[in-house]
């Protein structure tokens, strides 16, 4: 059984998120998702996610294509997460292209094309407009 792992904040869940999760699952048999903690998102993006960690975990774990979820507390622990979950393949969107190549030593690494024209940041901007 091929185990696939991916990571993300998945805040204000949208079609780009489901597209990458479905494509990641199609590359194997079992999909494990590391959902960034509120603290990790704050350190990456300088703002708290709109949806809480608990709500984001609930949304991701309810998806048909997702088999297992856990909280990603630190980018530095990625290698440990991959080993602990015995993943054969790491999948990320191509906004992270090249950044996780070092994990090639412990699993395959693939970057998938992002879905164009949608992002959490753009949704926040649109909703904010008067
Ligand atoms: N994504 C996508 N298309 C979009 C938007 C996002 O394919 N239009 C993908 C991203 O490339 C990423 C995943 O959806 O692989 C989750 O996106 P984010 O929640 O923005 O993830 P991020 O905060 O970048 O966290 O350890 C890595 C991080 O946890 C990734």
């Amino acid at each position: 059984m091929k185990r696939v792992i991916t990571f993300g904040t998945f805040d204000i869940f949208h079609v780009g998120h489901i597209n990458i999760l479905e494509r990641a699952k199609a590359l194997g048999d079992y999909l494990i998702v590391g959902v960034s903690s509120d603290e990790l998102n704050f350190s990456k993006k300088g703002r708290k996610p709109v949806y809480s960690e608990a709500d984001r975990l609930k949304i991701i774990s309810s998806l048909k294509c997702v088999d297992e979820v856990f909280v990603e507390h630190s980018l530095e622990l990625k290698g440990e997460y991959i080993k602990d979950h015995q993943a054969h393949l790491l999948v990320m969107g191509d906004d992270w292209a090249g950044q996780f190549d070092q994990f090639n030593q412990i699993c395959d690494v693939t970057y998938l094309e992002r879905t164009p024209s949608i992002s959490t940041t753009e949704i926040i901007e649109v909703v904010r407009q008067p």
Side-chain angles (χ1 to χ4, degrees):
M1 185 177 69
K2 186 167 172 183
R3 295 167 67 86
V4 182
I5 194 165
T6 192
F7 295 84
T9 309
F10 304 104
D11 191 22
I12 315 182
F13 193 77
H14 60 66
V15 72
H17 295 146
I18 192 67
N19 284 344
I20 197 162
L21 293 172
E22 287 182 345
R23 284 183 295 159
K25 176 63 174 273
L27 294 173
D29 308 296
Y30 190 86
L31 180 62
I32 304 146
V33 183
V35 176
S36 298
S37 67
D38 287 343
E39 286 72 26
L40 175 56
N41 189 257
F42 191 82
S43 71
K44 280 190 299 189
K45 303 191 179 167
R47 61 172 160 76
K48 257 185 70 180
V50 176
Y51 293 173
S52 71
E53 185 179 303
D55 286 357
R56 290 181 291 108
L57 278 164
K58 185 165 185 180
I59 291 167
I60 301 301
S61 62
S62 73
L63 299 172
K64 209 163 48 177
C65 60
V66 173
D67 297 292
E68 195 176 323
V69 295
F70 66 96
V71 179
E72 178 195 31
H73 289 286
S74 162
L75 293 179
E76 277 72 51
L77 290 174
K78 197 163 259 89
E80 303 310 312
Y81 294 136
I82 293 169
K83 283 187 233 160
D84 287 353
H85 291 92
Q86 300 179 319
H88 303 107
L89 172 65
L90 168 63
V91 171
M92 291 300 300
D94 62 4
D95 46 326
W96 290 92
Q99 295 193 54
F100 300 124
D101 286 355
Q102 69 269 33
F103 300 116
N104 260 320
Q105 316 233 344
I106 49 175
C107 68
D108 293 330
V109 180
T110 302
Y111 304 97
L112 299 180
E113 202 182 312
R114 273 170 70 92
T115 301
S117 311
I118 186 149
S119 74
T120 300
T121 309
E122 280 170 45
I123 295 170
I124 291 172
E125 290 302 311
V126 169
V127 172
R128 248 195 205 135
Q129 274 171 24

